[in-house]
Amino acid sequence: TIIRPILEYPYTTLSKISNKSKMRLQVVQNDGIRFVKNIKRSDRKNMKTIHEELKLEPLNVRVDRLSNKIINFPEFDLHIPL
């Protein structure tokens, strides 16, 4: 609850970073999840399964969804007629 917003902010900018940088952030999120759930890397638990159990979206999926939500939000129509 405290760390996730720090990792994700600002998501509109994060959606434009390289895939390598997104993967690095995902590793940070996964390490945090492992720490909280007391799961060791040697336990060989599938992170996709853990994300599903915790009802957490992977960072890249969440960032893309949130940035698309803002970009496609109808109240923020930036089209200005001339």
Side-chain angles (χ1 to χ4, degrees), residues 3 7 23-42 45 47 50-51 54 56 59:
I3 297 172
L7 279 175
M23 290 297 294
R24 288 179 180 166
L25 285 174
Q26 187 61 55
V27 168
V28 171
Q29 182 186 43
N30 292 348
D31 287 344
I33 290 170
R34 283 189 188 97
F35 177 78
V36 169
K37 296 293 288 177
N38 197 24
I39 300 169
K40 298 179 186 104
R41 284 184 180 262
S42 59
K45 292 201 71 163
M47 285 309 296
I50 296 170
H51 276 94
L54 297 174
L56 287 174
L59 192 68

